[in-house]
Amino acid sequence: MANPPDHKALIAELAASRDSLTAYTTAIRHDLDFGAKVTRSFHGNQTAWLGGAALLGLLLSKLLPARRKVVIPTPVAEVGKAAFALTALKFALNFAKPALFGWMRDRWLNRAAKRSAA
């Protein structure tokens, strides 16, 4: 084991290292706090930030091409017939649903009964 004076010197050296490490950690946190840096920069230079944002928005609106709508002409009569056909099909399926489910249930039960008998 170390001598008592050396022991106290080591303790003092460790305490000094911890203090310097804490100071370095605080400095690194301060340097890496980008949100606070941007906030300080914005409050210090509001005109430059707002002007830059307006200029960037203007450039993006002028440089990027606007998408054009493609309009395919369709006769109104055909669209009306298709809508009527789909509506009629929906009603027919809604009325046939109980019968279809009954048929599927019976088929499923018959298949299960055949498997259990085999």
Side-chain angles (χ1 to χ4, degrees), residues 54-86:
L55 184 64
L56 180 66
L58 179 67
L59 286 174
L60 287 176
S61 70
K62 295 298 179 187
L63 291 179
L64 297 177
R67 293 185 180 174
R68 294 188 177 127
K69 278 188 170 181
V70 176
V71 179
I72 301 172
T74 57
V76 176
E78 290 179 15
V79 174
K81 287 178 186 178
F84 180 74
L86 288 175

PDB file of all heavy atoms in Angstrom, residues 54-86:
ATOM      1  N   ALA A  54     -36.915  33.778 -46.864  1.00  0.00           N
ATOM      2  CA  ALA A  54     -37.761  34.265 -47.961  1.00  0.00           C
ATOM      3  C   ALA A  54     -37.097  34.003 -49.310  1.00  0.00           C
ATOM      4  O   ALA A  54     -37.752  33.570 -50.268  1.00  0.00           O
ATOM      5  CB  ALA A  54     -38.045  35.758 -47.788  1.00  0.00           C
ATOM      6  N   LEU A  55     -35.803  34.233 -49.395  1.00  0.00           N
ATOM      7  CA  LEU A  55     -35.073  33.999 -50.640  1.00  0.00           C
ATOM      8  C   LEU A  55     -35.063  32.513 -51.003  1.00  0.00           C
ATOM      9  O   LEU A  55     -35.270  32.141 -52.159  1.00  0.00           O
ATOM     10  CB  LEU A  55     -33.646  34.528 -50.516  1.00  0.00           C
ATOM     11  CG  LEU A  55     -32.788  34.437 -51.768  1.00  0.00           C
ATOM     12  CD1 LEU A  55     -33.377  35.302 -52.875  1.00  0.00           C
ATOM     13  CD2 LEU A  55     -31.365  34.870 -51.453  1.00  0.00           C
ATOM     14  N   LEU A  56     -34.855  31.669 -50.016  1.00  0.00           N
ATOM     15  CA  LEU A  56     -34.874  30.224 -50.262  1.00  0.00           C
ATOM     16  C   LEU A  56     -36.254  29.766 -50.732  1.00  0.00           C
ATOM     17  O   LEU A  56     -36.363  28.969 -51.668  1.00  0.00           O
ATOM     18  CB  LEU A  56     -34.473  29.468 -48.996  1.00  0.00           C
ATOM     19  CG  LEU A  56     -34.451  27.949 -49.112  1.00  0.00           C
ATOM     20  CD1 LEU A  56     -33.375  27.500 -50.076  1.00  0.00           C
ATOM     21  CD2 LEU A  56     -34.253  27.322 -47.747  1.00  0.00           C
ATOM     22  N   GLY A  57     -37.307  30.286 -50.106  1.00  0.00           N
ATOM     23  CA  GLY A  57     -38.661  29.942 -50.530  1.00  0.00           C
ATOM     24  C   GLY A  57     -38.939  30.393 -51.953  1.00  0.00           C
ATOM     25  O   GLY A  57     -39.548  29.668 -52.741  1.00  0.00           O
ATOM     26  N   LEU A  58     -38.480  31.585 -52.298  1.00  0.00           N
ATOM     27  CA  LEU A  58     -38.672  32.094 -53.657  1.00  0.00           C
ATOM     28  C   LEU A  58     -37.925  31.233 -54.666  1.00  0.00           C
ATOM     29  O   LEU A  58     -38.468  30.871 -55.714  1.00  0.00           O
ATOM     30  CB  LEU A  58     -38.204  33.549 -53.745  1.00  0.00           C
ATOM     31  CG  LEU A  58     -38.319  34.205 -55.110  1.00  0.00           C
ATOM     32  CD1 LEU A  58     -39.783  34.369 -55.478  1.00  0.00           C
ATOM     33  CD2 LEU A  58     -37.613  35.546 -55.113  1.00  0.00           C
ATOM     34  N   LEU A  59     -36.672  30.876 -54.356  1.00  0.00           N
ATOM     35  CA  LEU A  59     -35.894  30.033 -55.263  1.00  0.00           C
ATOM     36  C   LEU A  59     -36.534  28.665 -55.447  1.00  0.00           C
ATOM     37  O   LEU A  59     -36.614  28.145 -56.565  1.00  0.00           O
ATOM     38  CB  LEU A  59     -34.466  29.886 -54.753  1.00  0.00           C
ATOM     39  CG  LEU A  59     -33.561  31.100 -54.914  1.00  0.00           C
ATOM     40  CD1 LEU A  59     -32.225  30.860 -54.238  1.00  0.00           C
ATOM     41  CD2 LEU A  59     -33.367  31.430 -56.373  1.00  0.00           C
ATOM     42  N   LEU A  60     -36.986  28.072 -54.356  1.00  0.00           N
ATOM     43  CA  LEU A  60     -37.615  26.760 -54.467  1.00  0.00           C
ATOM     44  C   LEU A  60     -38.907  26.812 -55.270  1.00  0.00           C
ATOM     45  O   LEU A  60     -39.214  25.893 -56.021  1.00  0.00           O
ATOM     46  CB  LEU A  60     -37.876  26.177 -53.075  1.00  0.00           C
ATOM     47  CG  LEU A  60     -36.643  25.693 -52.312  1.00  0.00           C
ATOM     48  CD1 LEU A  60     -37.044  25.227 -50.922  1.00  0.00           C
ATOM     49  CD2 LEU A  60     -35.941  24.583 -53.060  1.00  0.00           C
ATOM     50  N   SER A  61     -39.657  27.887 -55.117  1.00  0.00           N
ATOM     51  CA  SER A  61     -40.917  27.976 -55.857  1.00  0.00           C
ATOM     52  C   SER A  61     -40.675  28.205 -57.343  1.00  0.00           C
ATOM     53  O   SER A  61     -41.464  27.766 -58.177  1.00  0.00           O
ATOM     54  CB  SER A  61     -41.789  29.089 -55.296  1.00  0.00           C
ATOM     55  OG  SER A  61     -41.219  30.355 -55.594  1.00  0.00           O
ATOM     56  N   LYS A  62     -39.593  28.859 -57.697  1.00  0.00           N
ATOM     57  CA  LYS A  62     -39.319  29.134 -59.109  1.00  0.00           C
ATOM     58  C   LYS A  62     -38.551  28.007 -59.780  1.00  0.00           C
ATOM     59  O   LYS A  62     -38.744  27.742 -60.966  1.00  0.00           O
ATOM     60  CB  LYS A  62     -38.513  30.444 -59.254  1.00  0.00           C
ATOM     61  CG  LYS A  62     -39.265  31.666 -58.808  1.00  0.00           C
ATOM     62  CD  LYS A  62     -40.502  31.864 -59.637  1.00  0.00           C
ATOM     63  CE  LYS A  62     -41.274  33.088 -59.164  1.00  0.00           C
ATOM     64  NZ  LYS A  62     -42.547  33.230 -59.817  1.00  0.00           N
ATOM     65  N   LEU A  63     -37.679  27.328 -59.047  1.00  0.00           N
ATOM     66  CA  LEU A  63     -36.843  26.307 -59.655  1.00  0.00           C
ATOM     67  C   LEU A  63     -37.564  24.977 -59.840  1.00  0.00           C
ATOM     68  O   LEU A  63     -37.380  24.312 -60.846  1.00  0.00           O
ATOM     69  CB  LEU A  63     -35.584  26.078 -58.811  1.00  0.00           C
ATOM     70  CG  LEU A  63     -34.581  27.231 -58.798  1.00  0.00           C
ATOM     71  CD1 LEU A  63     -33.412  26.885 -57.904  1.00  0.00           C
ATOM     72  CD2 LEU A  63     -34.086  27.534 -60.197  1.00  0.00           C
ATOM     73  N   LEU A  64     -38.353  24.589 -58.865  1.00  0.00           N
ATOM     74  CA  LEU A  64     -39.024  23.306 -58.954  1.00  0.00           C
ATOM     75  C   LEU A  64     -40.217  23.421 -59.901  1.00  0.00           C
ATOM     76  O   LEU A  64     -41.043  24.317 -59.759  1.00  0.00           O
ATOM     77  CB  LEU A  64     -39.486  22.836 -57.579  1.00  0.00           C
ATOM     78  CG  LEU A  64     -38.362  22.580 -56.570  1.00  0.00           C
ATOM     79  CD1 LEU A  64     -38.950  22.195 -55.232  1.00  0.00           C
ATOM     80  CD2 LEU A  64     -37.435  21.502 -57.063  1.00  0.00           C
ATOM     81  N   PRO A  65     -40.306  22.522 -60.859  1.00  0.00           N
ATOM     82  CA  PRO A  65     -41.426  22.623 -61.806  1.00  0.00           C
ATOM     83  C   PRO A  65     -42.733  22.240 -61.138  1.00  0.00           C
ATOM     84  O   PRO A  65     -42.791  21.345 -60.297  1.00  0.00           O
ATOM     85  CB  PRO A  65     -41.063  21.608 -62.900  1.00  0.00           C
ATOM     86  CG  PRO A  65     -40.187  20.621 -62.214  1.00  0.00           C
ATOM     87  CD  PRO A  65     -39.440  21.395 -61.150  1.00  0.00           C
ATOM     88  N   ALA A  66     -43.774  22.917 -61.552  1.00  0.00           N
ATOM     89  CA  ALA A  66     -45.104  22.618 -61.022  1.00  0.00           C
ATOM     90  C   ALA A  66     -45.638  21.393 -61.745  1.00  0.00           C
ATOM     91  O   ALA A  66     -45.487  21.250 -62.954  1.00  0.00           O
ATOM     92  CB  ALA A  66     -46.033  23.806 -61.225  1.00  0.00           C
ATOM     93  N   ARG A  67     -46.250  20.495 -61.023  1.00  0.00           N
ATOM     94  CA  ARG A  67     -46.830  19.304 -61.641  1.00  0.00           C
ATOM     95  C   ARG A  67     -48.139  19.689 -62.316  1.00  0.00           C
ATOM     96  O   ARG A  67     -48.977  20.369 -61.734  1.00  0.00           O
ATOM     97  CB  ARG A  67     -47.066  18.226 -60.602  1.00  0.00           C
ATOM     98  CG  ARG A  67     -45.780  17.692 -60.033  1.00  0.00           C
ATOM     99  CD  ARG A  67     -46.048  16.556 -59.115  1.00  0.00           C
ATOM    100  NE  ARG A  67     -44.787  16.071 -58.576  1.00  0.00           N
ATOM    101  CZ  ARG A  67     -44.698  15.150 -57.659  1.00  0.00           C
ATOM    102  NH1 ARG A  67     -45.783  14.628 -57.142  1.00  0.00           N
ATOM    103  NH2 ARG A  67     -43.528  14.760 -57.229  1.00  0.00           N
ATOM    104  N   ARG A  68     -48.291  19.195 -63.497  1.00  0.00           N
ATOM    105  CA  ARG A  68     -49.503  19.510 -64.248  1.00  0.00           C
ATOM    106  C   ARG A  68     -50.478  18.358 -64.128  1.00  0.00           C
ATOM    107  O   ARG A  68     -50.089  17.201 -64.127  1.00  0.00           O
ATOM    108  CB  ARG A  68     -49.160  19.768 -65.704  1.00  0.00           C
ATOM    109  CG  ARG A  68     -48.321  20.999 -65.874  1.00  0.00           C
ATOM    110  CD  ARG A  68     -48.167  21.347 -67.343  1.00  0.00           C
ATOM    111  NE  ARG A  68     -47.404  22.575 -67.448  1.00  0.00           N
ATOM    112  CZ  ARG A  68     -46.324  22.704 -68.186  1.00  0.00           C
ATOM    113  NH1 ARG A  68     -45.874  21.692 -68.887  1.00  0.00           N
ATOM    114  NH2 ARG A  68     -45.683  23.854 -68.224  1.00  0.00           N
ATOM    115  N   LYS A  69     -51.746  18.710 -64.088  1.00  0.00           N
ATOM    116  CA  LYS A  69     -52.780  17.693 -64.051  1.00  0.00           C
ATOM    117  C   LYS A  69     -52.977  17.130 -65.446  1.00  0.00           C
ATOM    118  O   LYS A  69     -53.008  17.870 -66.427  1.00  0.00           O
ATOM    119  CB  LYS A  69     -54.108  18.273 -63.570  1.00  0.00           C
ATOM    120  CG  LYS A  69     -54.246  18.383 -62.099  1.00  0.00           C
ATOM    121  CD  LYS A  69     -55.677  18.787 -61.780  1.00  0.00           C
ATOM    122  CE  LYS A  69     -55.954  18.676 -60.311  1.00  0.00           C
ATOM    123  NZ  LYS A  69     -57.343  19.043 -60.016  1.00  0.00           N
ATOM    124  N   VAL A  70     -53.110  15.821 -65.506  1.00  0.00           N
ATOM    125  CA  VAL A  70     -53.406  15.178 -66.775  1.00  0.00           C
ATOM    126  C   VAL A  70     -54.894  14.865 -66.780  1.00  0.00           C
ATOM    127  O   VAL A  70     -55.377  14.108 -65.936  1.00  0.00           O
ATOM    128  CB  VAL A  70     -52.578  13.884 -66.949  1.00  0.00           C
ATOM    129  CG1 VAL A  70     -52.961  13.181 -68.236  1.00  0.00           C
ATOM    130  CG2 VAL A  70     -51.100  14.205 -66.912  1.00  0.00           C
ATOM    131  N   VAL A  71     -55.614  15.458 -67.700  1.00  0.00           N
ATOM    132  CA  VAL A  71     -57.054  15.277 -67.781  1.00  0.00           C
ATOM    133  C   VAL A  71     -57.341  14.367 -68.963  1.00  0.00           C
ATOM    134  O   VAL A  71     -56.963  14.665 -70.098  1.00  0.00           O
ATOM    135  CB  VAL A  71     -57.780  16.628 -67.951  1.00  0.00           C
ATOM    136  CG1 VAL A  71     -59.271  16.424 -68.067  1.00  0.00           C
ATOM    137  CG2 VAL A  71     -57.438  17.543 -66.802  1.00  0.00           C
ATOM    138  N   ILE A  72     -57.963  13.245 -68.673  1.00  0.00           N
ATOM    139  CA  ILE A  72     -58.332  12.311 -69.715  1.00  0.00           C
ATOM    140  C   ILE A  72     -59.823  12.486 -69.976  1.00  0.00           C
ATOM    141  O   ILE A  72     -60.641  12.230 -69.081  1.00  0.00           O
ATOM    142  CB  ILE A  72     -58.018  10.862 -69.303  1.00  0.00           C
ATOM    143  CG1 ILE A  72     -56.535  10.731 -69.010  1.00  0.00           C
ATOM    144  CG2 ILE A  72     -58.472   9.886 -70.362  1.00  0.00           C
ATOM    145  CD1 ILE A  72     -56.147   9.411 -68.413  1.00  0.00           C
ATOM    146  N   PRO A  73     -60.189  12.908 -71.164  1.00  0.00           N
ATOM    147  CA  PRO A  73     -61.615  13.125 -71.436  1.00  0.00           C
ATOM    148  C   PRO A  73     -62.354  11.790 -71.511  1.00  0.00           C
ATOM    149  O   PRO A  73     -61.942  10.886 -72.213  1.00  0.00           O
ATOM    150  CB  PRO A  73     -61.629  13.845 -72.780  1.00  0.00           C
ATOM    151  CG  PRO A  73     -60.318  13.517 -73.416  1.00  0.00           C
ATOM    152  CD  PRO A  73     -59.351  13.269 -72.301  1.00  0.00           C
ATOM    153  N   THR A  74     -63.408  11.664 -70.727  1.00  0.00           N
ATOM    154  CA  THR A  74     -64.244  10.471 -70.769  1.00  0.00           C
ATOM    155  C   THR A  74     -65.682  10.909 -70.961  1.00  0.00           C
ATOM    156  O   THR A  74     -66.117  11.912 -70.396  1.00  0.00           O
ATOM    157  CB  THR A  74     -64.149   9.660 -69.469  1.00  0.00           C
ATOM    158  OG1 THR A  74     -64.502  10.508 -68.379  1.00  0.00           O
ATOM    159  CG2 THR A  74     -62.757   9.120 -69.250  1.00  0.00           C
ATOM    160  N   PRO A  75     -66.410  10.165 -71.733  1.00  0.00           N
ATOM    161  CA  PRO A  75     -67.820  10.515 -71.912  1.00  0.00           C
ATOM    162  C   PRO A  75     -68.575  10.358 -70.593  1.00  0.00           C
ATOM    163  O   PRO A  75     -68.372   9.401 -69.844  1.00  0.00           O
ATOM    164  CB  PRO A  75     -68.325   9.513 -72.948  1.00  0.00           C
ATOM    165  CG  PRO A  75     -67.102   8.956 -73.592  1.00  0.00           C
ATOM    166  CD  PRO A  75     -65.999   9.090 -72.602  1.00  0.00           C
ATOM    167  N   VAL A  76     -69.433  11.279 -70.320  1.00  0.00           N
ATOM    168  CA  VAL A  76     -70.189  11.279 -69.077  1.00  0.00           C
ATOM    169  C   VAL A  76     -71.143  10.091 -69.014  1.00  0.00           C
ATOM    170  O   VAL A  76     -71.362   9.513 -67.940  1.00  0.00           O
ATOM    171  CB  VAL A  76     -70.960  12.618 -68.927  1.00  0.00           C
ATOM    172  CG1 VAL A  76     -71.820  12.611 -67.688  1.00  0.00           C
ATOM    173  CG2 VAL A  76     -69.993  13.779 -68.907  1.00  0.00           C
ATOM    174  N   ALA A  77     -71.653   9.675 -70.131  1.00  0.00           N
ATOM    175  CA  ALA A  77     -72.607   8.561 -70.148  1.00  0.00           C
ATOM    176  C   ALA A  77     -71.942   7.270 -69.672  1.00  0.00           C
ATOM    177  O   ALA A  77     -72.542   6.497 -68.917  1.00  0.00           O
ATOM    178  CB  ALA A  77     -73.181   8.384 -71.548  1.00  0.00           C
ATOM    179  N   GLU A  78     -70.695   7.023 -70.079  1.00  0.00           N
ATOM    180  CA  GLU A  78     -69.995   5.811 -69.657  1.00  0.00           C
ATOM    181  C   GLU A  78     -69.723   5.821 -68.160  1.00  0.00           C
ATOM    182  O   GLU A  78     -69.827   4.797 -67.491  1.00  0.00           O
ATOM    183  CB  GLU A  78     -68.688   5.658 -70.428  1.00  0.00           C
ATOM    184  CG  GLU A  78     -68.884   5.320 -71.892  1.00  0.00           C
ATOM    185  CD  GLU A  78     -67.567   5.193 -72.622  1.00  0.00           C
ATOM    186  OE1 GLU A  78     -66.527   5.080 -71.952  1.00  0.00           O
ATOM    187  OE2 GLU A  78     -67.585   5.201 -73.857  1.00  0.00           O
ATOM    188  N   VAL A  79     -69.355   6.973 -67.636  1.00  0.00           N
ATOM    189  CA  VAL A  79     -69.101   7.084 -66.201  1.00  0.00           C
ATOM    190  C   VAL A  79     -70.387   6.833 -65.433  1.00  0.00           C
ATOM    191  O   VAL A  79     -70.389   6.144 -64.401  1.00  0.00           O
ATOM    192  CB  VAL A  79     -68.502   8.469 -65.867  1.00  0.00           C
ATOM    193  CG1 VAL A  79     -68.363   8.648 -64.373  1.00  0.00           C
ATOM    194  CG2 VAL A  79     -67.153   8.641 -66.542  1.00  0.00           C
ATOM    195  N   GLY A  80     -71.484   7.360 -65.911  1.00  0.00           N
ATOM    196  CA  GLY A  80     -72.771   7.146 -65.251  1.00  0.00           C
ATOM    197  C   GLY A  80     -73.181   5.683 -65.267  1.00  0.00           C
ATOM    198  O   GLY A  80     -73.682   5.150 -64.275  1.00  0.00           O
ATOM    199  N   LYS A  81     -72.940   4.996 -66.391  1.00  0.00           N
ATOM    200  CA  LYS A  81     -73.271   3.575 -66.470  1.00  0.00           C
ATOM    201  C   LYS A  81     -72.418   2.757 -65.504  1.00  0.00           C
ATOM    202  O   LYS A  81     -72.914   1.846 -64.843  1.00  0.00           O
ATOM    203  CB  LYS A  81     -73.071   3.071 -67.898  1.00  0.00           C
ATOM    204  CG  LYS A  81     -74.106   3.541 -68.880  1.00  0.00           C
ATOM    205  CD  LYS A  81     -73.787   3.022 -70.270  1.00  0.00           C
ATOM    206  CE  LYS A  81     -74.729   3.594 -71.307  1.00  0.00           C
ATOM    207  NZ  LYS A  81     -74.385   3.134 -72.665  1.00  0.00           N
ATOM    208  N   ALA A  82     -71.135   3.088 -65.421  1.00  0.00           N
ATOM    209  CA  ALA A  82     -70.244   2.355 -64.517  1.00  0.00           C
ATOM    210  C   ALA A  82     -70.659   2.583 -63.067  1.00  0.00           C
ATOM    211  O   ALA A  82     -70.656   1.645 -62.249  1.00  0.00           O
ATOM    212  CB  ALA A  82     -68.799   2.788 -64.734  1.00  0.00           C
ATOM    213  N   ALA A  83     -71.018   3.803 -62.716  1.00  0.00           N
ATOM    214  CA  ALA A  83     -71.453   4.094 -61.352  1.00  0.00           C
ATOM    215  C   ALA A  83     -72.729   3.330 -61.013  1.00  0.00           C
ATOM    216  O   ALA A  83     -72.867   2.778 -59.922  1.00  0.00           O
ATOM    217  CB  ALA A  83     -71.665   5.594 -61.175  1.00  0.00           C
ATOM    218  N   PHE A  84     -73.673   3.278 -61.957  1.00  0.00           N
ATOM    219  CA  PHE A  84     -74.914   2.541 -61.732  1.00  0.00           C
ATOM    220  C   PHE A  84     -74.638   1.052 -61.575  1.00  0.00           C
ATOM    221  O   PHE A  84     -75.196   0.394 -60.692  1.00  0.00           O
ATOM    222  CB  PHE A  84     -75.886   2.787 -62.898  1.00  0.00           C
ATOM    223  CG  PHE A  84     -77.177   2.049 -62.733  1.00  0.00           C
ATOM    224  CD1 PHE A  84     -78.122   2.477 -61.814  1.00  0.00           C
ATOM    225  CD2 PHE A  84     -77.444   0.913 -63.480  1.00  0.00           C
ATOM    226  CE1 PHE A  84     -79.316   1.791 -61.650  1.00  0.00           C
ATOM    227  CE2 PHE A  84     -78.628   0.219 -63.326  1.00  0.00           C
ATOM    228  CZ  PHE A  84     -79.569   0.654 -62.400  1.00  0.00           C
ATOM    229  N   ALA A  85     -73.727   0.516 -62.406  1.00  0.00           N
ATOM    230  CA  ALA A  85     -73.401  -0.914 -62.334  1.00  0.00           C
ATOM    231  C   ALA A  85     -72.744  -1.256 -61.003  1.00  0.00           C
ATOM    232  O   ALA A  85     -73.068  -2.273 -60.371  1.00  0.00           O
ATOM    233  CB  ALA A  85     -72.501  -1.303 -63.493  1.00  0.00           C
ATOM    234  N   LEU A  86     -71.841  -0.423 -60.532  1.00  0.00           N
ATOM    235  CA  LEU A  86     -71.183  -0.679 -59.248  1.00  0.00           C
ATOM    236  C   LEU A  86     -72.159  -0.587 -58.087  1.00  0.00           C
ATOM    237  O   LEU A  86     -72.098  -1.378 -57.141  1.00  0.00           O
ATOM    238  CB  LEU A  86     -70.018   0.295 -59.046  1.00  0.00           C
ATOM    239  CG  LEU A  86     -68.792   0.037 -59.914  1.00  0.00           C
ATOM    240  CD1 LEU A  86     -67.756   1.130 -59.706  1.00  0.00           C
ATOM    241  CD2 LEU A  86     -68.182  -1.324 -59.595  1.00  0.00           C
TER     242      LEU A  86
END
